[in-house]
Amino acid sequence: MQRKTVLVTGVGSTTGISVIKGLRGQDEFRVRIVGTDTHGGNRIAGSSFCDAFYTVSPAGDPGYLAELLRICEREGVDLLVPIVDPELPVIAEHAALFADIGTEAVVAKSETVRTCNDKLATCRRLAEGGVPVPESRAADEVAAPGELSYPVFVKPRGGVSSRDAFRVDTQEEFARARGRVSDLVVQELLAGEEYTTDVFCGPDGRVIAVVPRRRVQTRAGISYKGVTCHDERLIRWGVRICEVLDLRGPANIQCMVDGDDVRYFEVNPRFSGSLPLTIAAGVNTPLQMLKLWDGQSAPDDLLPFEEVFMTRYWAEIFHPVEEPVPVS
Amino acid sequence: MQRKTVLVTGVGSTTGISVIKGLRGQDEFRVRIVGTDTHGGNRIAGSSFCDAFYTVSPAGDPGYLAELLRICEREGVDLLVPIVDPELPVIAEHAALFADIGTEAVVAKSETVRTCNDKLATCRRLAEGGVPVPESRAADEVAAPGELSYPVFVKPRGGVSSRDAFRVDTQEEFARARGRVSDLVVQELLAGEEYTTDVFCGPDGRVIAVVPRRRVQTRAGISYKGVTCHDERLIRWGVRICEVLDLRGPANIQCMVDGDDVRYFEVNPRFSGSLPLTIAAGVNTPLQMLKLWDGQSAPDDLLPFEEVFMTRYWAEIFHPVEEPVPVS
């Protein structure tokens, strides 16, 4: 059996652990997993599922890139799978440095990552490619709050999760939001239900998996109940978005569906936190990554999947307390 | 080995699953677990860990009590462990009906449950027993908002979780909060760190376990990182609170610790969602329940525990989709 050493970043996160579940849940490769996180290994759960673990600086730290390169070299990492949003542009931009030491970074091209990290640029690029998006503009380009027809939705152009993203009902609220948060995008407010589509593209851009799911219930931004759906529209749009953005490797795509009206508003060029549902539906994208980045040929058609309902619960990892815990 | 049939309610919740972990994680009794929840068994994770599962009406429904009695009778339930807050008063008040069919409800006395479900009554009762609490009064008894020294903290007397509980900084905010939410308690704002103490008392009121833990990080009201602490003050106060409230079975007690200043503000007379940490620290209170309610004698001293750090991650249960999922 072939051996692969895979470095997964952010193993303290649900997404990091989800990727590990995919890598462990296959028997075509013997995988050694190196994990990183900004937290200590005895303060997160995910380190327990790794064969080696390193605490690293945050991606914004000047030393981050050198640290990660050193770990990849020391551990003989074949594939580097970045999980944490601020890491993506750094790793995408410097993919050649990793290639030089024999590590392939499984991430979209630098330009694509930059587009995806900017929610206004994402919508503009998708619209150019014929993908339906909410009407969107930079809040700073709104000359007078009276121009907008309320309610609208505002969010930071570069925001992660749903921080500072909210509905705005009046001109006064809009003016206040714009004064408080810089670089806001203002969009028409979308109705309907939220869907996420997990997609996966080979190193040549070939789209091999498009699995839409309805987010039934979320907690702290993570789907904890969800169901995969054979929605042909969302599958077709998923393929189209991969092409328009020229994606490589994993991505997850968010849209709102309101009857016949489908609108895409966000693309994260990384694996998703609800990846275990896609895997349970029959599409182990981390395994596909191992195969395609190993040079195996892509399947002719999109990988088939089942409709499956996922529900989640907390599991625990316990760490001994090395020294008495200081009492506050 | 002795057999016991235990009915755990609310097995769709973290707390319900936590109790099941305790019941499964021992080898002194052969336990058959009957679970209930208001959700269908194929839409929650916890049903998968039960030997039998029933969907029931919410506790507020007139048919709830009869439904639960029928299940206990049909399944030959020895012990009934209520998990969901609105169920506690119903089951505590009608414990005799369950006793008549051979089912013992492991819950505090009706009067204690009523006190605990009222946050103002809880603080008053604790204060009478010499336990330190935040200064508390009914918002409706505040003649003029100017009487209060701000900031203060307000929350509904009968509230669960942290809904409608918030800091209030000005007279205007207080007036607005009082107008919007009825039956508010207004308390002095507490500083410091939040601790939860899991306690367990035998059927005769004997206190056998008091395990304090610091809530390091919470998500959606559930501790997802926490650490048990040998804090002698909190252990002594835990024993005292069990006595003052005349508790039976499980409870979890919340306080804020700010240096030497400890203040108790909430008691939930049921198992806690972070019970797995208490179990990992060496005190399996669901096992203690099986032993004590079986007539075994209580230990002479409080059960010893270790200092352990818990971190959590999502695990998944998948259910097949019986029929095509309707596309919105």
Side-chain angles (χ1 to χ4, degrees), chain B residues 85-193:
Chain B
D85 288 321
E87 296 178 325
L88 302 178
V90 180
I91 292 174
E93 190 179 339
H94 299 284
L97 294 179
F98 290 95
D100 285 347
I101 57 167
T103 299
E104 287 188 90
V106 182
V107 65
K109 293 175 185 174
S110 188
E111 190 203 330
T112 302
V113 171
R114 270 200 305 274
T115 301
C116 294
N117 274 3
D118 176 341
K119 285 167 185 173
L120 184 57
T122 301
C123 284
R124 285 181 175 159
R125 186 76 201 81
L126 292 178
E128 285 164 17
V131 177
V133 299
E135 219 178 287
S136 308
R137 53 199 289 202
D140 293 339
E141 291 166 11
V142 177
E147 284 175 24
L148 302 171
S149 51
Y150 296 88
V152 294
F153 196 77
V154 299
K155 56 187 173 186
R157 285 180 72 152
V160 291
S161 75
S162 51
R163 202 171 44 188
D164 286 327
F166 49 92
R167 173 192 168 121
V168 163
D169 284 286
T170 63
Q171 296 186 30
E172 294 68 38
E173 272 177 53
F174 175 75
R176 212 178 310 135
R178 186 162 63 169
R180 191 172 63 77
V181 186
S182 60
D183 257 344
L184 282 178
V185 187
V186 50
Q187 295 184 326
E188 64 181 307
L189 186 71
L190 299 176
E193 288 192 294

Side-chain angles (χ1 to χ4, degrees), chain B residues 178-249:
Chain B
R178 186 162 63 169
R180 191 172 63 77
V181 186
S182 60
D183 257 344
L184 282 178
V185 187
V186 50
Q187 295 184 326
E188 64 181 307
L189 186 71
L190 299 176
E193 288 192 294
E194 191 174 341
Y195 283 70
T196 298
T197 302
D198 278 355
V199 300
F200 196 85
C201 304
D204 57 353
R206 170 80 159 275
V207 189
I208 65 152
V210 178
V211 182
R213 65 167 176 272
R214 185 159 54 87
R215 297 173 69 145
V216 177
Q217 217 167 341
T218 61
R219 269 193 198 166
I222 298 281
S223 290
Y224 96 102
K225 294 189 181 181
V227 58
T228 48
C229 311
H230 287 137
D231 185 317
E232 291 303 328
R233 296 171 304 173
L234 302 190
I235 293 172
R236 277 195 304 271
W237 283 126
V239 172
R240 179 75 190 131
I241 289 169
C242 291
E243 293 166 352
V244 168
L245 292 173
D246 194 21
L247 284 165
R248 297 288 184 277

